[in-house]
Structure formats: structure tokens, C-alpha cells
Amino acid sequence: MEKTVALVAGEQEAAGAVAGAEGGDVRPEPPRSWPLLLLVAAVVPGTVVILLGRWGDAPAVQAWRTVCLAVTVQALPFLLLGTALSGAINAFVPERVFSRLLPRRAVLAVPVAGVAGVVLPGCECASVPVAGSLIGRGVAPGAAFAFLLSAPAINPVVLTATAVAFPGNPAMVLARLVASLVTAVVMGWLWLRFGRAEWLAPAVRHTGHREGHNRWNEFRLGFQHDFLHAGGFLVLGAMAAATFNVAVPRSVLDTFTGVPWVSVLFLAGLAVLLAVCSEADAFLAASLTGFPAVARLTFMVVGPMVDLKLIALQAGTFGRAFAVRFSAATLVVAVACSSVVGGVLL
């Protein structure tokens, strides 16, 4: 047996010596078509760039780029604000603060959290990471979701913008405040009754300060994670909104202004697709003069709670199972509350 092993080893060494004597290390030969591959690598990328450049000069593509960039730039400052606030809550705010500010009973914590949405002067892009951080710090999901929906709709910046967009019409400001707050509270209570923990994606990072760790470093890591994670979904939502803006002609909008209930449903769907930031949606609603007041109110209530970029952000933060169910339920509740409140106040 030992002789056999030695013989095999000797043959391998001899084969290696022969290979070395004939040409050293054995290297794979290049493919025979390497000149063609080299030519393709040199020509194709430049051709693609030229074609895309010419195609990008088309008016529709330019409009798509403008809308996509506008939605992204409009929401980006508030996304920065929300992720920074989320990181600060995660690193610096003790968990006992939330237990003191919110009632222990979740059914009472929901309306308190809904009213607390007035303290966040941002749009829906800012409220999503903050709500995620609140849940991680022990706040009941129903209360966090009430805050998520109310914050972009009842904060002073949005209400002031609404008053400017509808001068001499304080009833519209009041109707937006009431309808948005009622929708947020109802959705929080619905989550308490029907929501399931398995619909929420598990946390992907630690929440709260850990003993022995630097708070500023925890803030930096939390901010970095939330911003990069939510920013990608924001861009996807902006691209979808831009595609709708370019693809649907203005004449289609004019066919839905005649019937009141059809106009309400149409503007609700339009708010979802346009994905306008809550600080600017009142001016767009005011420009839709052919639609009744209740329909325009619905547009302003639905938009900050259910739109394409918000659905994408919710899916990225809480999971797709949550985003699909919660967004569909919120849309129904928001349309119902807007119709009732608008019918009474407007």
C-alpha cells in the first residue's frame, strides 16, 4: 500500500516537472472570439448612453423626470427630519417617558397619541420612521399608528398651508382637522381590535439605549439605518406617482366632476396616486375648482394617510403584510370620515 502511494506521488511530481519545463504555470487560453467581445464592450455602452440621451429629450420623459424629482425633493427634508427624530427618540428618550405621557390603557392612549400628532411639523415621510421607533420603545402599535396618520395632517404647518390655499374659508381648515383626527383615532382603535402582531415585520435593529454604549453613536446608526432604508422606498413611490402624472391626460380628470360621489371616490384615488406632500396638497386641492368641496376635502384627508410613497415606506418599515391591510382600511375610513364631516361642515 505504501509503495502504491509513493508511486502515485512520484508520477504527480514528474507530471508537474514536465508542465513546468514546457511552459511554466498552466493558464486558460482566451476565447477565440475575444476581438468581437472587446469591440462589443467598447461600442455598446456608448450606444446605449446616446440612445437614452435622445429618448430622454422627449417631452413625456422630461415631465416624468420633473415630477419624480419634485416629489422626492419635496419629501426629502421631512424624511430627514423624521429619521433624525426617530434616531433621537431611540438614543436619548428613556422608555419611561412614554409610559408617563400616554395612558396605560391602549384604548385611551390612541386618541392622546392622535392629538399628539400636532407636534411633528412634517409630512407622512417623517411620521413613518417615528412611529416605528415608538413601537420599538414600547408604545402600543394602535397608538403609534394613530400618531402616524394624524401627524402629517393636523400639524400647524399643514393647517396653515390649508388656510392660505383656501382664504376666507375657515370651515375647510376645521373640516380637515376634524376628519383627519377622527380617521387616525378610528384606525388606531381598529388596530387594537383586529390587528395582529404577525402582520408587523420584526425589528431589524435594537431600539433604545444600551448601557455602556455611546448615545451619539446609537443616534448616528439609527438615523443612518432609517434614512437609507426609507429613502429607497420613497424613490420607488415617487417614480410610481410620476408615471401616473405623465400617463393620464387632463381630459380624463374632467369627466369625473359631474357626479358628487364619483368625484369623491375619484379624488381619493387621485390622492393615492399623485403622492403629493401634505404641506403642498392643499394648494393642489384648491386648484381643482371643478370638483365639489367634499371631494377636495377627501383629497386632502386621504393623501397624507394613503399614497404610493407612504405605502412603500410602510412596507419597508413594517412589512408588506401590514402595509396592504392597513392602507386599504385607512382609505375606506378616510373617505367615510371626509364625506360625513364634509357634509356637516361644508
Side-chain angles (χ1 to χ4, degrees):
M1 182 65 179
E2 295 178 355
K3 292 181 179 181
T4 303
V5 174
L7 180 60
V8 173
E11 291 177 352
Q12 291 177 347
E13 291 177 358
V18 172
E22 292 180 350
D25 296 333
V26 179
R27 298 180 180 179
E29 296 182 359
R32 295 180 180 180
S33 59
W34 69 266
L36 179 61
L37 295 176
L38 182 61
L39 180 63
V40 171
V43 174
V44 171
T47 304
V48 171
V49 170
I50 292 175
L51 292 177
L52 288 178
R54 292 180 177 178
W55 179 69
D57 291 334
V61 178
Q62 291 180 347
W64 186 92
R65 286 203 308 259
T66 300
V67 174
C68 183
L69 185 62
V71 172
T72 303
V73 172
Q74 188 181 52
L76 194 58
F78 301 103
L79 180 61
L80 282 168
L81 172 64
T83 51
L85 183 57
S86 173
I89 292 173
N90 176 67
F92 299 109
V93 180
E95 189 171 339
R96 61 179 179 273
V97 172
F98 302 106
S99 61
R100 292 178 180 177
L101 293 177
L102 294 176
R104 292 186 177 181
R105 295 186 60 185
V107 69
L108 298 178
V110 167
V112 173
V115 174
V118 74
V119 303
L120 181 62
C123 73
E124 56 272 24
C125 303
S127 63
V128 173
V130 174
S133 182
L134 291 176
I135 294 175
R137 303 308 305 278
V139 174
F145 296 147
F147 177 86
L148 181 153
L149 296 177
S150 68
I154 68 171
N155 69 71
V157 176
V158 171
L159 296 180
T160 301
T162 306
V164 173
F166 293 89
N169 190 4
M172 182 64 78
V173 182
L174 178 61
R176 180 172 193 176
L177 170 64
V178 174
S180 299
L181 183 58
V182 171
T183 301
V185 174
V186 169
M187 283 305 303
W189 282 336
L190 286 177
W191 177 266
L192 293 180
R193 177 64 180 85
F194 301 105
R196 298 180 182 179
E198 57 265 27
W199 292 346
L200 294 175
V204 294
R205 66 176 174 86
H206 174 80
T207 54
H209 172 63
R210 291 177 287 183
E211 292 296 333
H213 289 73
N214 183 276
R215 291 183 181 271
W216 285 105
N217 188 53
E218 290 181 333
F219 167 76
R220 179 184 63 82
L221 293 176
F223 170 79
Q224 175 181 309
H225 170 273
D226 288 345
F227 180 75
L228 293 178
H229 193 62
F233 288 93
L234 169 62
V235 173
L236 291 177
M239 294 172 64
T243 302
F244 174 83
N245 275 270
V246 173
V248 179
R250 176 70 184 182
S251 58
V252 175
L253 304 181
D254 297 334
T255 61
F256 292 92
T257 59
V259 184
W261 68 269
V262 174
S263 63
V264 168
L265 296 178
F266 178 75
L267 285 193
L270 189 65
V272 175
L273 296 174
L274 290 182
V276 182
C277 191
S278 60
E279 272 73 18
D281 62 356
F283 299 97
L284 180 56
S287 68
L288 301 173
T289 54
F291 290 88
V294 175
R296 289 187 282 174
L297 172 65
T298 303
F299 179 86
M300 293 187 292
V301 174
V302 170
M305 297 184 178
V306 191
D307 64 31
L308 288 179
K309 68 177 184 297
L310 180 57
I311 295 172
L313 286 169
Q314 289 180 357
T317 303
F318 303 111
R320 186 171 56 183
F322 166 84
V324 171
R325 293 175 172 85
F326 191 77
S327 298
T330 303
L331 178 61
V332 174
V333 174
V335 171
C337 291
S338 301
S339 301
V340 173
V341 173
V344 173
L345 297 180
L346 301 178

